Amino acid sequence: MTQHRRRASAQQVIRKRAVVAAAFVGTVALGTGVGVWASSGGGGKPEGGARQQQSSSARVAGTDSGPAATSPASPPPGRTYPLSPAPRTIPAVRSHTPERGPGWQPRKADRVVIGAAGLADEGRLIAGELGLTYAGRKDDVRAGDVRLTLGGGGNQESYTMTVRDGRVDISGPGEAGVFYGTRTLKQEVHGGGTAPEGVVRDAPAKPVRGFMLDIARKPYSESWIEDRIRELGDLKFNELGLHFSDDQAFRIESGTHPEIVSPDHLTKAQVERIVALAHSRHITVVPEIDSPGHLGAVLAAHPGLQLRNASGTPTKGAIDISKPASAKLVDDLLNEYAGLFTGDRWHLGGDEYQALTVKDPQASYPQLAAAARQKYGSGGTVADLATGWLNDRAATVRAHGRTMRAWNDGFYRGASVQAAKDLQAAYWTGKEIGARPPVEYLGAGRRVLNHNDEFLYYVLGQPQTFVYPTGQRIYERWNPRVLRGTAAVPARYDGQILGGSFAVWSDFPNAQTEAQVAAGIRMPLRATVQKLWDPGTPALSWADFRSLADRLG
C-alpha cells in the first residue's frame, strides 16, 4: 500500500584452442543448465552458476571475435565464424551456450510454425512482430523457420531456444515458457538485428513478477493499461495487480452494487478486454478490494456501515466489522468480481484498519470488543475480530479456487485468532507502529511477496517520506530477499519468497500525467524484472543496462 561481452601452424593452434574453449563452455552450460532445467528447460537454478555460465560464454565469445578470429593470410576453404556473442536482453538470459554460425535474421519469406494448437497465439504474435508469415502447424522443415513446440517437464515458465542451421527452435514444457522464448527472440532481433547462434536455456528465479497499479485514486485509461500490459509481457512480467477500490473511488462497474461505483470508471467490457490481453501475454490480473479499511467510496453509499468510535465519530475508510451487513456487502463484491477476474490469484487487502491504530481499541470501539467476546469468548479482542474478518473473506474467495494474499499489516501480532495458513503475506512496509519484521512471517512458514516500499513504491506526489524510486537503485541495491528497508533476510528463507511487485500508488493523482508515469516507471520496471528473473549481481553495469534498454526500445 501507500502509505526494476602468423603462421599456418599457429593458426591451427588458435583454432584448436577455440574449439576446446567452446567445448568447455558447452560442458559448463550442459552440466549446470541441462542438469537443472533439462533439455527443454525446467526448474530453478543457482544464481552464481547462471552468472558464471553466462559471463564465461561472453568472455569466450569476446576472445574469439578479437584478433585470434581475424582472417588468416591463407583462409581455409569456406567461411568460418567466431563463437557467437551472448544475447543481450532484459531480463538477461540465464544460460547461453555459444556456437559458430551466422545466427538468424528474419526475412519476409520466413515462416513461424507451431507444433501444438495451443501455441497459435504466441506464433501469430511473434510472426507479426518480426514481419514473418504465420503458417500454423507444419511438420516440414524449411530454412529460416521459427518453430514453437511444447515438450519436456519442469518449470512451465522455462524454455530452450536453439539458433542453428539458419533456423530458430523454441521449446518448453508450458505455453508461458515458449512465449518468453519469443520475447527473447524479439529483443535479440530488435536490439542487434540477429539472434546469435547457440542455445539459450532460461527460466525465472521467482514465480511472481508483478506490477501493481492503483486505479482507485487516479483513473487510468483502458489504452494506457493495455500499453503497460504489452510492455510487461515483453519484459516477462506475469502479474498485473489492480487496486480499484479505496476511500477516493470505486473504479469498476458493478451489477450487485451500482450505487458504489464512481462516475469515472472502467466498464466490465473494458476489464474483460484488459484481462484477455493480459492472458494472451501470460499475465494474471490480480484484483484487490481492500477491506476492512480503505472502503471510503463504498461506505459513502452505505453510511450506516461506517465504523464509529465510542463518541460516535466516524472512522475514515473503516467498515464496522461487527455488523453482519458489512460482511454481506463485501462478500457480494468478492463473489461478483470473481466472475470478471478469472485468474487464480486474489488480493484481500487487510491493511491499515484504523480501529487497530489507536491506543486502546477495546475502549475506543466497544461494539467491536463486544462482538469479539461474543464470537471468541471472554478473551476476544478487536485484533481477533479483524483477523476473523480477513479469514471469512478468504473463505469467500477460496470457494472460487483462488490463491490469496493480504498486506503484512493485516496479520496482527498478539491475536489469539491466527490468519489462515494459505494466506500469503504481501510485505510492503516496516514503518507502521508495531510493524512486524519479515522474519516473523517467514519463520512461521508463511509465503511472502516483496513489495518493499523503500525500493518498489512509486507514489504520485512523493508524500511523507516517499521519493520516486530509480531503476539504478533497484538494480544495484535490491533483490527479492530485501523485504524491509535495505537489509536482506537470511538466505534460508529464499524459497518462501515468491517474488515481488513494483507498484504505482496515486496518492496525489494530478501530480503526474499518464505519460509522465509511464516514463517514470520505465527503468524501474526493467531493473525490477531483472532482479526477479535472476537475483544475483547483474553482468552489465547500470550504464550498460540503461543503454541496452534504450536500444531495445
Side-chain angles (χ1 to χ4, degrees):
M1 292 298 303
T2 303
Q3 326 203 251
H4 38 78
R5 156 136 76 163
R6 301 172 180 147
R7 290 182 298 271
S9 58
Q11 295 157 6
Q12 291 168 355
V13 170
I14 291 170
R15 288 195 295 272
K16 184 175 295 185
R17 286 175 178 170
V19 171
V20 171
F24 172 75
V25 173
T27 300
V28 172
L30 291 172
T32 56
V34 177
V36 177
W37 288 316
S39 63
S40 62
K45 184 180 197 308
E47 298 165 19
R51 293 195 304 277
Q52 292 167 5
Q53 181 177 329
Q54 185 178 357
S55 59
S56 295
S57 300
R59 284 197 299 270
V60 173
T63 300
D64 274 38
S65 61
T70 58
S71 299
S74 301
R79 182 174 181 180
T80 61
Y81 296 90
L83 284 172
S84 59
R88 289 290 188 233
T89 60
I90 297 176
V93 302
R94 303 187 71 197
S95 165
H96 175 250
T97 304
E99 296 182 5
R100 297 179 183 279
W104 179 89
Q105 292 180 330
R107 301 171 304 176
K108 289 185 177 180
D110 291 342
R111 310 180 302 175
V112 174
V113 298
I114 60 173
L119 296 174
D121 288 344
E122 289 77 11
R124 289 190 180 95
L125 180 61
I126 190 64
E129 291 168 332
L130 299 185
L132 308 179
T133 299
Y134 174 68
R137 297 188 68 173
K138 299 290 181 181
D139 294 326
D140 63 316
V141 176
R142 296 185 186 176
D145 277 356
V146 174
R147 179 173 294 274
L148 311 181
T149 58
L150 294 173
N155 187 338
Q156 297 292 293
E157 293 190 306
S158 67
Y159 68 93
T160 298
M161 185 174 76
T162 303
V163 180
R164 187 183 293 146
D165 300 329
R167 300 190 303 274
V168 179
D169 288 285
I170 300 173
S171 66
E175 294 172 11
V178 175
F179 172 72
Y180 297 142
T182 67
R183 300 306 86 195
T184 295
L185 179 63
K186 177 184 177 182
Q187 287 195 28
E188 288 178 333
V189 171
H190 284 187
T194 301
E197 204 90 1
V199 182
V200 167
R201 293 180 178 90
D202 202 11
K206 294 299 180 182
V208 177
R209 305 175 304 281
F211 169 58
M212 191 165 195
L213 181 65
D214 170 15
I215 66 172
R217 297 177 180 91
K218 179 181 180 68
Y220 290 82
S221 64
E222 176 188 1
S223 61
W224 192 90
I225 296 172
E226 290 175 341
D227 284 344
R228 298 290 74 70
I229 290 171
R230 295 182 183 96
E231 180 180 18
L232 295 171
D234 282 353
L235 292 170
K236 305 186 178 93
F237 280 89
N238 64 0
E239 270 197 7
L240 168 63
L242 287 183
H243 176 91
F244 63 91
S245 170
D246 213 304
D247 295 340
Q248 292 79 3
F250 192 98
R251 297 287 185 188
I252 296 179
E253 173 188 356
S254 172
T256 60
H257 290 282
E259 73 280 0
I260 69 173
V261 180
S262 302
D264 195 347
H265 65 269
L266 296 172
T267 67
K268 287 189 174 182
Q270 288 177 307
V271 174
E272 286 172 351
R273 290 193 292 268
I274 288 169
V275 170
L277 178 63
H279 180 74
S280 74
R281 263 62 173 182
H282 297 274
I283 295 171
T284 300
V285 181
V286 184
E288 181 195 1
I289 301 176
D290 202 348
S291 78
H294 293 278
L295 282 170
V298 172
L299 293 169
H302 295 270
L305 299 180
Q306 181 156 18
L307 178 66
R308 296 176 180 272
N309 65 15
S311 302
T313 303
T315 303
K316 181 181 178 181
I319 198 166
D320 191 334
I321 59 177
S322 70
K323 296 182 177 182
S326 296
K328 182 182 183 306
L329 173 60
V330 174
D331 283 349
D332 284 346
L333 297 173
L334 295 176
N335 286 319
E336 176 181 1
Y337 291 105
L340 183 62
F341 295 96
T342 55
D344 61 353
R345 306 162 205 172
W346 199 280
H347 203 314
L348 291 167
D351 68 306
E352 297 180 325
Y353 188 48
Q354 297 301 310
L356 287 164
T357 63
V358 299
K359 184 177 181 180
D360 188 349
Q362 281 63 234
S364 295
Y365 298 95
Q367 76 276 36
L368 300 185
R373 291 191 297 269
Q374 182 179 3
K375 188 171 183 177
Y376 300 112
S378 61
T381 65
V382 176
D384 290 325
L385 193 68
T387 303
W389 168 277
L390 188 63
N391 287 344
D392 290 343
R393 307 293 74 78
T396 298
V397 174
R398 190 182 295 111
H400 294 282
R402 305 300 200 265
T403 297
M404 301 156 295
R405 62 189 65 161
W407 297 113
N408 62 287
D409 50 331
F411 297 79
Y412 301 109
R413 174 191 278 133
S416 60
V417 177
Q418 298 299 300
K421 293 184 181 301
D422 60 343
L423 267 177
Q424 300 167 354
Y427 200 99
W428 71 280
T429 189
K431 298 174 183 175
E432 298 290 288
I433 296 174
R436 300 165 64 190
V439 292
E440 286 197 20
Y441 303 85
L442 296 164
R446 201 171 292 279
R447 292 186 169 189
V448 175
L449 296 152
N450 193 322
H451 289 258
N452 189 337
D453 65 348
E454 178 78 17
F455 290 91
L456 306 180
Y457 266 32
Y458 192 98
V459 186
L460 299 193
Q462 305 182 108
Q464 302 172 43
T465 61
F466 289 106
V467 295
Y468 293 130
T470 67
Q472 181 172 4
R473 190 162 184 262
I474 297 168
Y475 190 76
E476 295 177 344
R477 299 185 60 186
W478 179 83
N479 68 67
R481 284 172 41 215
V482 180
L483 284 159
R484 173 179 175 174
T486 59
V489 299
R492 65 179 179 273
Y493 293 123
D494 186 65
Q496 291 173 236
I497 302 171
L498 299 175
S501 184
F502 186 88
V504 171
W505 297 102
S506 308
D507 289 42
F508 289 90
N510 296 323
Q512 289 192 340
T513 65
E514 288 186 344
Q516 289 173 322
V517 174
I521 67 176
R522 181 177 178 273
M523 289 310 300
L525 283 175
R526 283 151 178 78
T528 299
V529 79
Q530 172 61 47
K531 302 306 281 289
L532 289 168
W533 195 267
D534 184 348
T537 302
L540 297 181
S541 68
W542 170 251
D544 288 343
F545 184 83
R546 185 175 55 199
S547 295
L548 175 62
D550 291 341
R551 186 163 70 249
L552 295 177

